[in-house]
Amino acid sequence: MAKAKQDKNNNQEFDKYVRWFWILFSAGILFVVLIFSLASWGAFGELPDHTQLENPETHLATEIISSDGVTLGKFYFNDNRTPVGYDDLPKQLVDALVATEDARYYEHSGIDARGTLRAIVKLGSGGGASTISQQLAKQLFHGEGSTNMFERILQKVKEWIIAIRLERQYTKEEILAQYFNIYDFNNNADGIRSASRIYFGKEPKNLDLKESAMLVGMFKNSSLYNPRPDRNPVGVRNRRNVVLAQMEKYGYITEKVKDSLQKTELDLHYSPESHREGLATYFREYLRGFMKDWIKNNPKPDGTYYNLNSDGLKVYTTIDSRMQQYAEAAVQQHMPRLQAEFFHQNTPDRNPTAPFLELDKSEIDDLMNRSMKQSERWRHMKYDLGKSDKEIKETFYKPIQMRVFSWKGEIDTIMKPIDSMRYSKSFLHTGLMSMDPQTGQVKAWVGGINYRYFQYDHVKTGKRQVGSTFKPFVYATAIDQLHLSPCDTLPRSQITIEAGKFGNPEPWSPKNNGGEYGGYMTLKDALANSVNTVTARVMDKVGPKPVVDLVKKLGVESEVLPVPSIALGTADLSVYEMVGAYSAFANKGVYTKPVMVTSITDKNNTVLYQVKPETRDVLSEETAYVTVKLMEGVTQSGSGVRLRTTGADTYRADYREIVTGYPYEFTNPIAGKTGTTQNQSDGWFMGMVPNLVTGVWVGAEDRSVHFANVTYGQGAAMALPIWALYMKSCYADKDLNISQEDFDVPKDLTIRVDCSDNTDTNTNSNTTKPEEIPDDLNF
């Protein structure tokens, strides 16, 4: 009886515990449900709604894309992020992530119950329970977890809710792509695309298995396992090998593949992306200004403005990455040789005022003082720090540690800022622009020798005297107005255009280089050899105003005074203007305004801008063709004939290759014109083939820095070699289809262009030739 009573009491006690267990268990479930419900209703802070989940707020860099689909660079402040789609991710990269971060990713709906239970039982010691979806939720909507336990639990609850919503909103593949795109891999490597480009120099789709494993290894801690050479290479390699082991564990790779790859090095191609490095740096900086103007004039539908650095715009440009590389390589090949020759000629014993010529000490002091006041150092100390002029000037004479440019690499040195300024002024610079004359699309743009140290753009911003490259405009005007032929002749003797004529302020009597003035010359030979007196005679017949009118129609916006001396190129013009103007000759007299941007899209690929080419008829097809035939003489027998050379010139020194000639061996038709300004301050070469016009300028920052003679200071030695090296590379790349054919002949050509039957046209004879231009054809 007593035993039965005891059993009954025990059963009641047990039932009591069971009831309490179920009460507590139910309460716990209800509590969890309540917590989740309250969290989902926003009681613990706002959760992203449907719209935010569909368009999470992330900062996306503006991407600059070449005409052949290569990313030239990006605009961004902090987030160098350009998203890619799932189809752009290689399978081994996705497999590596799933195997390492969330092995049951394809089986759960945002929360891995088994992993969560394991984490609770082991209090986190058995590994985290966060799924890829939860990690994406964390990255997108609240970042790092709180150190406060209660707040951390609430954040975790939010992660679970957001993860479940993400799983409902997106496919598994879309979630993976978003996760790869959102992660910060450090060193401006925001997202998988930037990471693969910065650490391996390739697009994500081209990553191999071990590269994929290394990048996935960074998801654990991108700072600790950062593959920069100066960081933690052993730890990075070990972490990569853990990823490979996980892939083998879950059957994505074989044990043999794992073992072989774990023995390999990282094989990085670390190339940080910077606004001052990479391809087409000067063009990209021009584009920044273009985009700022475009944004200012094209607000969003809601009236706000696009952010160039974070709205994920895509700017499709006309630049061809291959041609851009060839242009930059040509500059890199020629300019160090030219600079070595300049330094050789301007050692202190040869030129005590180096690098300046024809300046005395007071003039040099004035120049350097002006340069000081125009420097960034002066601006910063005066306007940001409020220093006096005396205090600022004193700092220019105190040695400091600095890095300076050299063609053999950066030099770490201690130098006075004033001396570093003088050193930097000794460098010769260049500008190159290459354009398709039919479409106006600019294919290459090299604004200088090194953007990190010399940021002034010599394509569009810089304007310098153009010298004899202006002469074709004078001849084109005469051909158009007087129907002249390249075979017509004029005396080579000196001519004086008196004061008052054409508004000339004083008599003008140009001289020829070499001092030869006897006999007659065909216009073709006169242009080919840059004979100033013949060009002056042509100017005397047409007058400067029609010439100025022509160049304005050819897109020149800079001021060109209507005076006779412009015939010899006294006007300051940009490479951009010169290439645009010359292109009309190759395009049968039709001027096409240079185009650099074809379209702009937003992050959703909606087209925001589409280029509308601007063209106008300027010259007749016949006039354009005859002018081209005139310029062909420059490369056949004139100042550009070295393009036809078949052997290198003599070498003057074993460390300097000659800069006045290379074995270029061009045989195809080329129209061109060299240009050399007074005292050899500027060297130009404009070269044309039927579907490509390229202009090159070379000179120093200050006009007093130049070669002492024309052997090296002429356009044929300074600028022409860059054009030739660039075109050799373009022709070698058959995919570019750069023409080697003749220029198209107009159907109804009435002007004679074949001067092969002209006899004795370049002599010292005073006999009037049958084709001599009558003096009464003055306008």
Side-chain angles (χ1 to χ4, degrees):
M1 187 79 176
K3 183 176 183 303
K5 187 175 181 180
Q6 181 67 35
D7 288 342
K8 182 179 179 182
N9 289 336
N10 288 340
N11 289 334
Q12 289 176 340
E13 190 72 19
F14 177 75
D15 290 342
K16 177 182 176 183
Y17 284 126
V18 168
R19 277 197 310 274
W20 275 109
F21 169 79
W22 284 110
I23 290 171
L24 291 174
F25 181 77
S26 300
I29 292 177
L30 288 173
F31 178 75
V32 170
V33 170
L34 179 63
I35 290 293
F36 271 84
S37 298
L38 289 172
S40 65
W41 296 332
F44 306 123
E46 187 178 359
L47 288 175
D49 60 18
H50 174 84
T51 303
Q52 290 173 299
L53 287 174
E54 197 169 76
N55 297 287
E57 184 178 340
T58 54
H59 290 171
L60 305 178
T62 290
E63 187 176 9
I64 306 164
I65 303 170
S66 71
S67 62
D68 55 323
V70 173
T71 298
L72 297 174
K74 300 175 185 177
F75 296 129
Y76 60 91
F77 278 138
N78 298 314
D79 293 344
N80 177 21
R81 180 176 289 105
T82 303
V84 296
Y86 180 81
D87 292 340
D88 293 316
L89 302 175
K91 183 178 184 302
Q92 61 265 22
L93 181 69
V94 174
D95 291 344
L97 179 67
V98 172
T100 308
E101 297 289 320
D102 190 356
R104 287 178 292 278
Y105 174 70
Y106 295 106
E107 301 169 13
H108 62 67
S109 298
I111 299 175
D112 181 5
R114 192 189 310 176
T116 301
L117 184 61
R118 182 193 66 232
I120 293 172
V121 171
K122 297 186 177 182
L123 299 177
S125 62
S130 290
T131 64
I132 290 175
S133 303
Q134 288 175 257
Q135 293 179 51
L136 175 60
K138 175 182 175 181
Q139 292 277 340
L140 284 174
F141 297 108
H142 71 74
E144 290 301 316
S146 173
T147 55
N148 181 283
M149 178 62 71
F150 179 71
E151 290 181 358
R152 182 70 191 102
I153 291 173
L154 291 181
Q155 285 180 339
K156 204 69 179 175
V157 170
K158 290 180 182 180
E159 281 179 27
W160 287 342
I161 295 170
I162 296 170
I164 293 171
R165 291 181 179 180
L166 286 172
E167 291 270 352
R168 292 175 181 170
Q169 188 86 13
Y170 297 103
T171 65
K172 290 286 188 180
E173 290 75 15
E174 289 172 333
I175 290 173
L176 286 170
Q178 282 196 62
Y179 188 47
F180 275 114
N181 286 325
I182 198 67
Y183 192 74
D184 181 0
F185 292 86
N186 276 356
N187 300 314
N188 286 330
D190 301 301
I192 190 63
R193 184 151 185 259
S194 293
S196 59
R197 285 167 57 87
I198 288 173
Y199 294 121
F200 296 108
K202 58 177 66 174
E203 293 295 324
K205 62 184 177 183
N206 298 321
L207 291 169
D208 63 25
L209 178 54
K210 70 175 185 177
E211 292 166 347
S212 299
M214 192 218 79
L215 291 174
V216 167
M218 294 178 71
F219 279 98
K220 185 174 181 67
N221 187 322
S222 60
S223 295
L224 179 62
Y225 300 112
N226 194 281
R228 269 181 52 172
D230 57 342
R231 289 288 179 86
N232 180 21
V234 174
V236 172
R237 183 177 172 179
N238 290 340
R239 179 60 187 165
R240 178 203 66 183
N241 290 348
V242 168
V243 175
L244 292 170
Q246 287 292 103
M247 294 184 75
E248 186 269 333
K249 174 181 177 181
Y250 290 105
Y252 291 107
I253 59 175
T254 65
E255 184 177 6
K256 181 179 179 181
V257 170
K258 179 204 73 174
D259 291 342
S260 64
L261 290 179
Q262 285 182 336
K263 298 174 184 177
T264 62
E265 299 298 326
L266 294 176
D267 294 332
L268 293 173
H269 182 70
Y270 182 62
S271 51
E273 291 187 345
S274 163
H275 298 306
R276 295 189 175 187
E277 296 171 334
L279 201 62
T281 47
Y282 291 90
F283 172 76
R284 282 153 44 195
E285 194 56 32
Y286 155 77
L287 197 61
R288 186 194 299 275
F290 174 93
M291 288 301 299
K292 286 181 178 179
D293 288 342
W294 180 86
I295 287 171
K296 185 168 60 178
N297 295 309
N298 293 274
K300 297 178 183 179
D302 62 3
T304 61
Y305 291 94
Y306 291 100
N307 189 311
L308 180 63
N309 299 295
S310 61
D311 273 349
L313 301 175
K314 290 184 179 180
V315 184
Y316 293 90
T317 73
T318 62
I319 297 293
D320 186 295
S321 69
R322 298 158 297 182
M323 297 173 75
Q324 181 69 29
Q325 286 177 328
Y326 300 150
E328 293 185 12
V331 168
Q332 295 287 318
Q333 185 174 346
H334 175 67
M335 291 303 291
R337 299 168 177 172
L338 188 68
Q339 191 68 51
E341 180 59 36
F342 183 80
F343 282 146
H344 175 73
Q345 294 185 18
N346 282 277
T347 55
D349 58 321
R350 291 188 177 93
N351 177 18
T353 63
F356 310 107
L357 290 172
E358 297 116 17
L359 295 185
D360 59 30
K361 184 179 184 304
S362 63
E363 290 173 322
I364 294 174
D365 288 343
D366 288 343
L367 188 154
M368 295 305 296
N369 283 330
R370 288 196 304 271
S371 298
M372 270 194 285
K373 292 181 179 180
Q374 294 168 358
S375 69
E376 179 62 24
R377 169 184 284 271
W378 187 285
R379 188 208 64 77
H380 172 65
M381 295 189 72
K382 186 170 184 66
Y383 299 107
D384 295 341
L385 303 181
K387 301 293 184 181
S388 68
D389 288 3
K390 181 182 178 182
E391 289 175 310
I392 299 172
K393 193 168 183 178
E394 286 174 351
T395 67
F396 278 84
Y397 291 88
K398 294 178 181 178
I400 59 173
Q401 190 164 359
M402 64 176 68
R403 287 185 174 184
V404 296
F405 171 79
S406 88
W407 278 111
K408 295 181 179 180
E410 289 181 330
I411 299 175
D412 287 312
T413 186
I414 295 176
M415 186 182 291
K416 297 175 184 176
I418 190 71
D419 292 336
S420 72
M421 287 174 56
R422 190 159 180 161
Y423 169 75
S424 68
K425 286 181 180 295
S426 67
F427 280 93
L428 300 172
H429 301 275
T430 189
L432 177 153
M433 188 174 114
S434 193
M435 168 179 159
D436 183 325
Q438 282 78 46
T439 64
Q441 294 192 359
V442 175
K443 296 299 181 182
W445 178 306
V446 184
I449 57 174
N450 185 291
Y451 186 77
R452 175 179 287 275
Y453 287 94
F454 307 103
Q455 289 156 29
Y456 190 77
D457 174 49
H458 292 286
V459 169
K460 200 168 191 294
T461 305
K463 297 179 181 182
R464 297 293 285 260
Q465 282 191 346
V466 294
S468 293
T469 57
F470 194 87
K471 290 177 179 177
F473 303 131
V474 179
Y475 284 87
T477 303
I479 293 167
D480 188 52
Q481 291 192 357
L482 308 179
H483 215 61
L484 299 186
S485 162
C487 310
D488 290 335
T489 63
L490 280 175
R492 187 162 48 179
S493 58
Q494 278 195 280
I495 176 176
T496 297
I497 298 179
E498 63 272 14
K501 189 174 184 180
F502 307 126
N504 207 32
E506 56 187 28
W508 182 59
S509 185
K511 297 178 180 179
N512 290 332
N513 292 326
E516 295 183 17
Y517 300 101
Y520 291 78
M521 296 192 78
T522 63
L523 297 186
K524 186 173 184 178
D525 285 339
L527 182 65
N529 295 282
S530 277
V531 179
N532 293 336
T533 54
V534 174
T535 306
R537 289 182 181 277
V538 176
M539 173 62 84
D540 190 41
K541 294 182 180 299
V542 299
K545 188 176 185 308
V547 177
V548 173
D549 290 342
L550 173 63
V551 297
K552 292 299 181 183
K553 292 176 184 176
L554 293 174
V556 172
E557 296 180 351
S558 300
E559 183 180 23
V560 181
L561 297 176
V563 294
S565 61
I566 62 171
L568 306 187
T570 55
D572 286 356
L573 305 179
S574 66
V575 172
Y576 173 88
E577 289 174 308
M578 289 295 289
V579 172
Y582 265 65
S583 293
F585 298 134
N587 194 29
K588 303 178 181 180
V590 178
Y591 169 75
T592 302
K593 186 176 180 179
V595 174
M596 283 73 74
V597 176
T598 56
S599 63
I600 301 170
T601 66
D602 65 14
K603 64 182 180 181
N604 299 315
N605 292 321
T606 301
V607 176
L608 306 175
Y609 166 82
Q610 197 83 38
V611 69
K612 295 178 181 178
E614 297 180 31
T615 64
R616 56 176 171 266
D617 292 337
V618 177
L619 296 166
S620 68
E621 184 177 349
E622 182 177 49
T623 297
Y625 178 74
V626 173
T627 306
V628 166
K629 298 307 286 185
L630 269 172
M631 287 190 281
E632 281 188 1
V634 173
T635 68
Q636 292 168 348
S637 60
S639 57
V641 73
R642 64 189 63 196
L643 291 174
R644 312 293 181 185
T645 55
T646 57
D649 290 348
T650 307
Y651 288 80
R652 280 190 49 188
D654 57 358
Y655 72 93
R656 292 191 327 276
E657 293 190 51
I658 200 74
V659 297
T660 57
Y662 301 100
Y664 302 124
E665 301 177 330
F666 288 102
T667 58
N668 57 293
I670 299 170
K673 188 69 193 79
T674 57
T676 307
T677 60
Q678 189 176 17
N679 296 329
Q680 302 80 237
S681 294
D682 305 275
W684 289 80
F685 183 72
M686 304 295 300
M688 303 190 298
V689 296
N691 64 350
L692 195 67
V693 177
T694 305
V696 182
W697 166 87
V698 173
E701 176 185 326
D702 293 286
R703 296 181 198 237
S704 57
V705 179
H706 57 81
F707 283 101
N709 57 63
V710 297
T711 302
Y712 293 92
Q714 61 180 301
M718 292 206 292
L720 178 146
I722 294 176
W723 186 93
L725 293 167
Y726 165 65
M727 290 299 292
K728 292 287 279 189
S729 296
C730 288
Y731 279 134
D733 190 335
K734 302 302 181 184
D735 291 337
L736 295 177
N737 295 316
I738 306 301
S739 174
Q740 298 191 55
E741 305 302 318
D742 288 311
F743 291 86
D744 290 341
V745 182
K747 293 179 180 178
D748 301 318
L749 182 65
T750 61
I751 299 176
R752 184 159 71 96
V753 295
D754 183 2
C755 305
S756 58
D757 60 345
N758 274 36
T759 58
D760 195 27
T761 59
N762 189 11
T763 70
N764 291 322
S765 169
N766 290 319
T767 305
T768 302
K769 303 302 171 185
E771 298 85 358
E772 183 185 345
I773 303 168
D775 284 334
D776 60 358
L777 287 178
N778 288 319
F779 285 77

